[in-house]
Amino acid sequence: MKKIEKKTEDKRAIYYWDRLQNYGRKYKWFHWPSVEAFLNLVYTYDVISNHFASKIQHTGLSRSALNILNIISRSDKKGCTHKELSDLLLVSRANVTGLVDSLVRKNLVKRQDSQHDRRLSIVKITKNGEELLNSVLPSYYLEMRRLASDLSNDERNKLNDILIKLRLKIFDLYKDKKKTESN
Amino acid sequence: MKKIEKKTEDKRAIYYWDRLQNYGRKYKWFHWPSVEAFLNLVYTYDVISNHFASKIQHTGLSRSALNILNIISRSDKKGCTHKELSDLLLVSRANVTGLVDSLVRKNLVKRQDSQHDRRLSIVKITKNGEELLNSVLPSYYLEMRRLASDLSNDERNKLNDILIKLRLKIFDLYKDKKKTESN
DNA sequence: TATTGTTATACTCTATAACTATA
DNA sequence: TATAGTTATAGAGTATAACAATA
């Protein structure tokens, strides 16, 4: 049996909930209910992220590589420019080059020059890439369904509403900042 | 004004909600309400993570480095072994060595040999490290409070409940797997 | 001039295996 | 034998700046 170094119990939550709650009080603005929510968000993300990463480990792809491949696949014959990928992935153009390079090396996508705008490089999925996706996504989606199956419709809706609310709140911060910067 | 390559609008959500919803139907187990919940979780985490990372960029610390420092600081005079850090951070012991090394280089923590068990290396925070934490954490906690201020008590509780539920569901998977592996 | 993509570089984080020393 | 920590190595991901080609 393979040695498992990583612990799968919720040690971290126990640790934090025990100690941080009191410790943080020395900071004026520390507000435990807020902090608790963010900690839960981060830890749950972390656990989910590791779980899905292990689900696709056998493909040799990371979660973001699969993500890119998925995006490109969805663009169909049209393909996807580096710029689009950069926007969607929140990754710099410089790094998109590297990410696409690694997929090209694995023969999962190919680059094509655009005929309309010769600055553009268009990325399309290969047969190989499609086959890989088709071999991975079914169990991926099944797993999402299984994990979410314990949530009621109401809970799922609440979760979505709250997460969107938090996200938009942050976007608003940056909008405001942009405005004041340009004035 | 500094050029901003990263977009702060919710391009990704728009993109996905438009396309994925239909695209995914070709997969048998694709269940949009489940997928939507996970996408929201991932994107919101991502946005929050980037936001807080930018908040502490001036310290030269990454979010995980700050996290380690925070854990060590909370252990007070007692200090923290590498093993403890490894468990709490879900990071291999090998990598804890590297992470602690980089904090030692910055004079934020120091190592001490344990007198009871000479295998152990105990990590303690330095004056320098404490000062850094005190200069960063107040605004960090204030920001959490601000961001969560739009959520009602009920929403926060619901969010926590749901996130914990999801996390424990995954932990249970691994517990079951462990059991069957040892049989 | 602005945009797209590339190159180069450096740093962080992660994963793995082999090793030392202690228990 | 098991545990704690280290070393070495390789790869993914990110951040930044300078650059060429094209619009």
mmCIF file of all heavy atoms in Angstrom, chain D residues 7-20:
data_model
loop_
_atom_site.group_PDB
_atom_site.id
_atom_site.type_symbol
_atom_site.label_atom_id
_atom_site.label_comp_id
_atom_site.label_asym_id
_atom_site.label_seq_id
_atom_site.Cartn_x
_atom_site.Cartn_y
_atom_site.Cartn_z
ATOM 1 P P DT D 7 19.865 20.549 3.706
ATOM 2 O OP1 DT D 7 21.239 20.871 4.144
ATOM 3 O OP2 DT D 7 18.877 21.618 3.461
ATOM 4 O "O5'" DT D 7 19.958 19.665 2.388
ATOM 5 C "C5'" DT D 7 20.707 18.468 2.394
ATOM 6 C "C4'" DT D 7 20.545 17.760 1.054
ATOM 7 O "O4'" DT D 7 19.249 17.143 0.983
ATOM 8 C "C3'" DT D 7 20.657 18.671 -0.177
ATOM 9 O "O3'" DT D 7 21.715 18.180 -0.983
ATOM 10 C "C2'" DT D 7 19.288 18.568 -0.854
ATOM 11 C "C1'" DT D 7 18.748 17.256 -0.324
ATOM 12 N N1 DT D 7 17.269 17.162 -0.191
ATOM 13 C C2 DT D 7 16.625 16.091 -0.757
ATOM 14 O O2 DT D 7 17.204 15.209 -1.375
ATOM 15 N N3 DT D 7 15.263 16.079 -0.569
ATOM 16 C C4 DT D 7 14.507 17.008 0.108
ATOM 17 O O4 DT D 7 13.302 16.882 0.213
ATOM 18 C C5 DT D 7 15.243 18.103 0.674
ATOM 19 C C7 DT D 7 14.515 19.176 1.433
ATOM 20 C C6 DT D 7 16.572 18.129 0.495
ATOM 21 P P DA D 8 22.197 18.995 -2.273
ATOM 22 O OP1 DA D 8 23.632 18.707 -2.431
ATOM 23 O OP2 DA D 8 21.733 20.398 -2.183
ATOM 24 O "O5'" DA D 8 21.409 18.282 -3.451
ATOM 25 C "C5'" DA D 8 21.206 16.877 -3.427
ATOM 26 C "C4'" DA D 8 20.386 16.466 -4.625
ATOM 27 O "O4'" DA D 8 18.998 16.336 -4.244
ATOM 28 C "C3'" DA D 8 20.413 17.471 -5.792
ATOM 29 O "O3'" DA D 8 20.597 16.761 -7.005
ATOM 30 C "C2'" DA D 8 19.066 18.164 -5.705
ATOM 31 C "C1'" DA D 8 18.185 17.043 -5.150
ATOM 32 N N9 DA D 8 16.998 17.510 -4.421
ATOM 33 C C8 DA D 8 16.899 18.570 -3.570
ATOM 34 N N7 DA D 8 15.700 18.736 -3.063
ATOM 35 C C5 DA D 8 14.956 17.712 -3.620
ATOM 36 C C6 DA D 8 13.614 17.337 -3.478
ATOM 37 N N6 DA D 8 12.740 17.984 -2.715
ATOM 38 N N1 DA D 8 13.194 16.256 -4.180
ATOM 39 C C2 DA D 8 14.068 15.612 -4.955
ATOM 40 N N3 DA D 8 15.355 15.874 -5.164
ATOM 41 C C4 DA D 8 15.746 16.947 -4.462
ATOM 42 P P DT D 9 20.822 17.541 -8.404
ATOM 43 O OP1 DT D 9 21.888 16.818 -9.113
ATOM 44 O OP2 DT D 9 20.936 19.003 -8.148
ATOM 45 O "O5'" DT D 9 19.452 17.284 -9.170
ATOM 46 C "C5'" DT D 9 18.782 16.033 -8.981
ATOM 47 C "C4'" DT D 9 17.394 16.124 -9.544
ATOM 48 O "O4'" DT D 9 16.449 16.523 -8.518
ATOM 49 C "C3'" DT D 9 17.240 17.159 -10.668
ATOM 50 O "O3'" DT D 9 16.581 16.557 -11.774
ATOM 51 C "C2'" DT D 9 16.394 18.246 -10.050
ATOM 52 C "C1'" DT D 9 15.544 17.438 -9.091
ATOM 53 N N1 DT D 9 14.897 18.225 -8.008
ATOM 54 C C2 DT D 9 13.620 17.892 -7.624
ATOM 55 O O2 DT D 9 13.015 16.966 -8.121
ATOM 56 N N3 DT D 9 13.090 18.678 -6.637
ATOM 57 C C4 DT D 9 13.701 19.739 -6.006
ATOM 58 O O4 DT D 9 13.118 20.359 -5.140
ATOM 59 C C5 DT D 9 15.044 20.036 -6.459
ATOM 60 C C7 DT D 9 15.781 21.168 -5.841
ATOM 61 C C6 DT D 9 15.565 19.284 -7.425
ATOM 62 P P DA D 10 16.644 17.227 -13.234
ATOM 63 O OP1 DA D 10 17.651 16.507 -14.013
ATOM 64 O OP2 DA D 10 16.743 18.696 -13.065
ATOM 65 O "O5'" DA D 10 15.216 16.899 -13.828
ATOM 66 C "C5'" DA D 10 14.337 15.977 -13.160
ATOM 67 C "C4'" DA D 10 12.939 16.525 -13.207
ATOM 68 O "O4'" DA D 10 12.642 17.214 -11.974
ATOM 69 C "C3'" DA D 10 12.711 17.546 -14.339
ATOM 70 O "O3'" DA D 10 11.566 17.146 -15.084
ATOM 71 C "C2'" DA D 10 12.504 18.872 -13.614
ATOM 72 C "C1'" DA D 10 11.940 18.401 -12.277
ATOM 73 N N9 DA D 10 12.148 19.352 -11.190
ATOM 74 C C8 DA D 10 13.268 20.100 -10.933
ATOM 75 N N7 DA D 10 13.156 20.889 -9.886
ATOM 76 C C5 DA D 10 11.874 20.632 -9.430
ATOM 77 C C6 DA D 10 11.142 21.154 -8.343
ATOM 78 N N6 DA D 10 11.623 22.062 -7.505
ATOM 79 N N1 DA D 10 9.880 20.699 -8.167
ATOM 80 C C2 DA D 10 9.405 19.782 -9.019
ATOM 81 N N3 DA D 10 9.994 19.211 -10.072
ATOM 82 C C4 DA D 10 11.239 19.691 -10.224
ATOM 83 P P DG D 11 11.127 17.889 -16.432
ATOM 84 O OP1 DG D 11 10.908 16.852 -17.439
ATOM 85 O OP2 DG D 11 12.085 19.001 -16.650
ATOM 86 O "O5'" DG D 11 9.722 18.524 -16.050
ATOM 87 C "C5'" DG D 11 8.746 17.710 -15.402
ATOM 88 C "C4'" DG D 11 7.704 18.607 -14.785
ATOM 89 O "O4'" DG D 11 8.282 19.292 -13.647
ATOM 90 C "C3'" DG D 11 7.220 19.702 -15.747
ATOM 91 O "O3'" DG D 11 5.808 19.622 -15.835
ATOM 92 C "C2'" DG D 11 7.667 21.012 -15.094
ATOM 93 C "C1'" DG D 11 7.818 20.624 -13.643
ATOM 94 N N9 DG D 11 8.777 21.425 -12.886
ATOM 95 C C8 DG D 11 10.102 21.661 -13.185
ATOM 96 N N7 DG D 11 10.688 22.437 -12.315
ATOM 97 C C5 DG D 11 9.693 22.734 -11.391
ATOM 98 C C6 DG D 11 9.730 23.529 -10.227
ATOM 99 O O6 DG D 11 10.693 24.152 -9.772
ATOM 100 N N1 DG D 11 8.493 23.557 -9.579
ATOM 101 C C2 DG D 11 7.373 22.902 -10.008
ATOM 102 N N2 DG D 11 6.273 23.046 -9.272
ATOM 103 N N3 DG D 11 7.322 22.150 -11.094
ATOM 104 C C4 DG D 11 8.514 22.109 -11.739
ATOM 105 P P DA D 12 5.009 20.431 -16.943
ATOM 106 O OP1 DA D 12 4.118 19.479 -17.635
ATOM 107 O OP2 DA D 12 5.964 21.264 -17.706
ATOM 108 O "O5'" DA D 12 4.120 21.389 -16.049
ATOM 109 C "C5'" DA D 12 3.325 20.812 -15.020
ATOM 110 C "C4'" DA D 12 2.819 21.912 -14.114
ATOM 111 O "O4'" DA D 12 3.934 22.466 -13.376
ATOM 112 C "C3'" DA D 12 2.160 23.072 -14.846
ATOM 113 O "O3'" DA D 12 0.902 23.301 -14.253
ATOM 114 C "C2'" DA D 12 3.115 24.251 -14.647
ATOM 115 C "C1'" DA D 12 3.862 23.871 -13.379
ATOM 116 N N9 DA D 12 5.253 24.336 -13.323
ATOM 117 C C8 DA D 12 6.258 24.046 -14.199
ATOM 118 N N7 DA D 12 7.406 24.596 -13.879
ATOM 119 C C5 DA D 12 7.139 25.290 -12.711
ATOM 120 C C6 DA D 12 7.937 26.077 -11.877
ATOM 121 N N6 DA D 12 9.237 26.306 -12.097
ATOM 122 N N1 DA D 12 7.355 26.621 -10.785
ATOM 123 C C2 DA D 12 6.047 26.381 -10.567
ATOM 124 N N3 DA D 12 5.197 25.656 -11.282
ATOM 125 C C4 DA D 12 5.811 25.130 -12.355
ATOM 126 P P DG D 13 -0.150 24.287 -14.921
ATOM 127 O OP1 DG D 13 -1.485 23.868 -14.479
ATOM 128 O OP2 DG D 13 0.181 24.417 -16.354
ATOM 129 O "O5'" DG D 13 0.192 25.658 -14.199
ATOM 130 C "C5'" DG D 13 -0.050 25.782 -12.810
ATOM 131 C "C4'" DG D 13 0.503 27.112 -12.351
ATOM 132 O "O4'" DG D 13 1.932 27.067 -12.428
ATOM 133 C "C3'" DG D 13 0.072 28.307 -13.210
ATOM 134 O "O3'" DG D 13 -0.778 29.135 -12.419
ATOM 135 C "C2'" DG D 13 1.386 29.005 -13.573
ATOM 136 C "C1'" DG D 13 2.383 28.380 -12.614
ATOM 137 N N9 DG D 13 3.739 28.303 -13.137
ATOM 138 C C8 DG D 13 4.166 27.587 -14.227
ATOM 139 N N7 DG D 13 5.454 27.709 -14.446
ATOM 140 C C5 DG D 13 5.887 28.555 -13.447
ATOM 141 C C6 DG D 13 7.180 29.057 -13.181
ATOM 142 O O6 DG D 13 8.231 28.844 -13.785
ATOM 143 N N1 DG D 13 7.175 29.893 -12.057
ATOM 144 C C2 DG D 13 6.073 30.205 -11.304
ATOM 145 N N2 DG D 13 6.253 31.014 -10.269
ATOM 146 N N3 DG D 13 4.863 29.740 -11.546
ATOM 147 C C4 DG D 13 4.841 28.928 -12.626
ATOM 148 P P DT D 14 -1.308 30.531 -12.990
ATOM 149 O OP1 DT D 14 -2.540 30.845 -12.241
ATOM 150 O OP2 DT D 14 -1.311 30.470 -14.469
ATOM 151 O "O5'" DT D 14 -0.190 31.561 -12.543
ATOM 152 C "C5'" DT D 14 0.178 31.639 -11.184
ATOM 153 C "C4'" DT D 14 1.249 32.699 -11.016
ATOM 154 O "O4'" DT D 14 2.472 32.224 -11.607
ATOM 155 C "C3'" DT D 14 0.914 34.021 -11.714
ATOM 156 O "O3'" DT D 14 0.874 35.035 -10.730
ATOM 157 C "C2'" DT D 14 2.043 34.210 -12.732
ATOM 158 C "C1'" DT D 14 3.136 33.320 -12.184
ATOM 159 N N1 DT D 14 4.082 32.759 -13.179
ATOM 160 C C2 DT D 14 5.416 33.055 -13.052
ATOM 161 O O2 DT D 14 5.845 33.762 -12.164
ATOM 162 N N3 DT D 14 6.231 32.484 -13.999
ATOM 163 C C4 DT D 14 5.849 31.664 -15.042
ATOM 164 O O4 DT D 14 6.676 31.216 -15.822
ATOM 165 C C5 DT D 14 4.435 31.384 -15.116
ATOM 166 C C7 DT D 14 3.908 30.507 -16.209
ATOM 167 C C6 DT D 14 3.625 31.937 -14.195
ATOM 168 P P DA D 15 0.418 36.536 -11.087
ATOM 169 O OP1 DA D 15 -0.236 37.094 -9.894
ATOM 170 O OP2 DA D 15 -0.270 36.509 -12.392
ATOM 171 O "O5'" DA D 15 1.794 37.310 -11.286
ATOM 172 C "C5'" DA D 15 2.809 37.223 -10.301
ATOM 173 C "C4'" DA D 15 3.954 38.122 -10.728
ATOM 174 O "O4'" DA D 15 4.846 37.365 -11.573
ATOM 175 C "C3'" DA D 15 3.514 39.347 -11.521
ATOM 176 O "O3'" DA D 15 4.149 40.493 -10.985
ATOM 177 C "C2'" DA D 15 3.960 39.045 -12.951
ATOM 178 C "C1'" DA D 15 5.128 38.086 -12.748
ATOM 179 N N9 DA D 15 5.302 37.098 -13.822
ATOM 180 C C8 DA D 15 4.320 36.376 -14.446
ATOM 181 N N7 DA D 15 4.773 35.556 -15.371
ATOM 182 C C5 DA D 15 6.146 35.752 -15.342
ATOM 183 C C6 DA D 15 7.198 35.185 -16.090
ATOM 184 N N6 DA D 15 7.032 34.266 -17.030
ATOM 185 N N1 DA D 15 8.454 35.608 -15.807
ATOM 186 C C2 DA D 15 8.625 36.529 -14.862
ATOM 187 N N3 DA D 15 7.711 37.141 -14.100
ATOM 188 C C4 DA D 15 6.486 36.699 -14.390
ATOM 189 P P DT D 16 3.848 41.947 -11.604
ATOM 190 O OP1 DT D 16 3.939 42.868 -10.463
ATOM 191 O OP2 DT D 16 2.640 41.900 -12.441
ATOM 192 O "O5'" DT D 16 5.083 42.223 -12.558
ATOM 193 C "C5'" DT D 16 6.377 41.843 -12.126
ATOM 194 C "C4'" DT D 16 7.378 42.158 -13.206
ATOM 195 O "O4'" DT D 16 7.581 40.983 -14.030
ATOM 196 C "C3'" DT D 16 6.948 43.282 -14.142
ATOM 197 O "O3'" DT D 16 7.892 44.329 -14.053
ATOM 198 C "C2'" DT D 16 6.890 42.646 -15.528
ATOM 199 C "C1'" DT D 16 7.739 41.402 -15.367
ATOM 200 N N1 DT D 16 7.324 40.257 -16.214
ATOM 201 C C2 DT D 16 8.300 39.523 -16.840
ATOM 202 O O2 DT D 16 9.497 39.767 -16.716
ATOM 203 N N3 DT D 16 7.835 38.489 -17.609
ATOM 204 C C4 DT D 16 6.506 38.122 -17.814
ATOM 205 O O4 DT D 16 6.223 37.190 -18.533
ATOM 206 C C5 DT D 16 5.541 38.949 -17.117
ATOM 207 C C7 DT D 16 4.090 38.640 -17.272
ATOM 208 C C6 DT D 16 5.988 39.952 -16.366
ATOM 209 P P DA D 17 7.742 45.713 -14.898
ATOM 210 O OP1 DA D 17 8.108 46.816 -13.978
ATOM 211 O OP2 DA D 17 6.436 45.727 -15.588
ATOM 212 O "O5'" DA D 17 8.876 45.581 -16.007
ATOM 213 C "C5'" DA D 17 10.084 44.877 -15.698
ATOM 214 C "C4'" DA D 17 10.870 44.693 -16.972
ATOM 215 O "O4'" DA D 17 10.463 43.452 -17.615
ATOM 216 C "C3'" DA D 17 10.651 45.806 -18.009
ATOM 217 O "O3'" DA D 17 11.887 46.122 -18.619
ATOM 218 C "C2'" DA D 17 9.669 45.172 -18.990
ATOM 219 C "C1'" DA D 17 10.112 43.718 -18.961
ATOM 220 N N9 DA D 17 9.086 42.765 -19.354
ATOM 221 C C8 DA D 17 7.747 42.793 -19.062
ATOM 222 N N7 DA D 17 7.057 41.788 -19.563
ATOM 223 C C5 DA D 17 8.014 41.044 -20.236
ATOM 224 C C6 DA D 17 7.935 39.859 -20.988
ATOM 225 N N6 DA D 17 6.799 39.187 -21.184
ATOM 226 N N1 DA D 17 9.085 39.382 -21.532
ATOM 227 C C2 DA D 17 10.210 40.066 -21.327
ATOM 228 N N3 DA D 17 10.422 41.189 -20.647
ATOM 229 C C4 DA D 17 9.265 41.633 -20.121
ATOM 230 P P DA D 18 12.005 47.356 -19.631
ATOM 231 O OP1 DA D 18 13.037 48.248 -19.076
ATOM 232 O OP2 DA D 18 10.657 47.856 -19.948
ATOM 233 O "O5'" DA D 18 12.588 46.665 -20.945
ATOM 234 C "C5'" DA D 18 13.534 45.601 -20.824
ATOM 235 C "C4'" DA D 18 13.605 44.864 -22.146
ATOM 236 O "O4'" DA D 18 12.465 43.970 -22.261
ATOM 237 C "C3'" DA D 18 13.551 45.791 -23.373
ATOM 238 O "O3'" DA D 18 14.490 45.329 -24.325
ATOM 239 C "C2'" DA D 18 12.110 45.638 -23.860
ATOM 240 C "C1'" DA D 18 11.818 44.183 -23.496
ATOM 241 N N9 DA D 18 10.413 43.849 -23.331
ATOM 242 C C8 DA D 18 9.445 44.551 -22.674
ATOM 243 N N7 DA D 18 8.251 43.982 -22.697
ATOM 244 C C5 DA D 18 8.464 42.826 -23.424
ATOM 245 C C6 DA D 18 7.603 41.785 -23.804
ATOM 246 N N6 DA D 18 6.303 41.741 -23.491
ATOM 247 N N1 DA D 18 8.129 40.774 -24.527
ATOM 248 C C2 DA D 18 9.436 40.815 -24.833
ATOM 249 N N3 DA D 18 10.345 41.740 -24.538
ATOM 250 C C4 DA D 18 9.782 42.724 -23.815
ATOM 251 P P DC D 19 14.735 46.169 -25.681
ATOM 252 O OP1 DC D 19 16.159 46.041 -25.983
ATOM 253 O OP2 DC D 19 14.088 47.493 -25.530
ATOM 254 O "O5'" DC D 19 13.911 45.338 -26.763
ATOM 255 C "C5'" DC D 19 14.327 44.014 -27.076
ATOM 256 C "C4'" DC D 19 13.285 43.362 -27.951
ATOM 257 O "O4'" DC D 19 12.064 43.237 -27.210
ATOM 258 C "C3'" DC D 19 12.900 44.154 -29.203
ATOM 259 O "O3'" DC D 19 13.594 43.630 -30.326
ATOM 260 C "C2'" DC D 19 11.395 43.959 -29.334
ATOM 261 C "C1'" DC D 19 11.029 43.087 -28.158
ATOM 262 N N1 DC D 19 9.743 43.471 -27.520
ATOM 263 C C2 DC D 19 8.633 42.655 -27.708
ATOM 264 O O2 DC D 19 8.744 41.639 -28.405
ATOM 265 N N3 DC D 19 7.450 43.009 -27.153
ATOM 266 C C4 DC D 19 7.370 44.110 -26.412
ATOM 267 N N4 DC D 19 6.195 44.409 -25.868
ATOM 268 C C5 DC D 19 8.501 44.947 -26.193
ATOM 269 C C6 DC D 19 9.656 44.601 -26.764
ATOM 270 P P DA D 20 13.335 44.395 -31.769
ATOM 271 O OP1 DA D 20 14.600 44.318 -32.512
ATOM 272 O OP2 DA D 20 12.683 45.711 -31.538
ATOM 273 O "O5'" DA D 20 12.282 43.444 -32.483
ATOM 274 C "C5'" DA D 20 12.398 42.032 -32.402
ATOM 275 C "C4'" DA D 20 11.326 41.392 -33.257
ATOM 276 O "O4'" DA D 20 10.059 41.440 -32.542
ATOM 277 C "C3'" DA D 20 11.084 42.077 -34.597
ATOM 278 O "O3'" DA D 20 10.810 41.091 -35.576
ATOM 279 C "C2'" DA D 20 9.894 42.993 -34.338
ATOM 280 C "C1'" DA D 20 9.122 42.242 -33.243
ATOM 281 N N9 DA D 20 8.500 43.126 -32.262
ATOM 282 C C8 DA D 20 9.049 44.243 -31.689
ATOM 283 N N7 DA D 20 8.258 44.826 -30.827
ATOM 284 C C5 DA D 20 7.116 44.045 -30.837
ATOM 285 C C6 DA D 20 5.902 44.137 -30.137
ATOM 286 N N6 DA D 20 5.622 45.097 -29.250
ATOM 287 N N1 DA D 20 4.967 43.200 -30.384
ATOM 288 C C2 DA D 20 5.241 42.227 -31.265
ATOM 289 N N3 DA D 20 6.345 42.042 -31.985
ATOM 290 C C4 DA D 20 7.246 42.995 -31.716
#
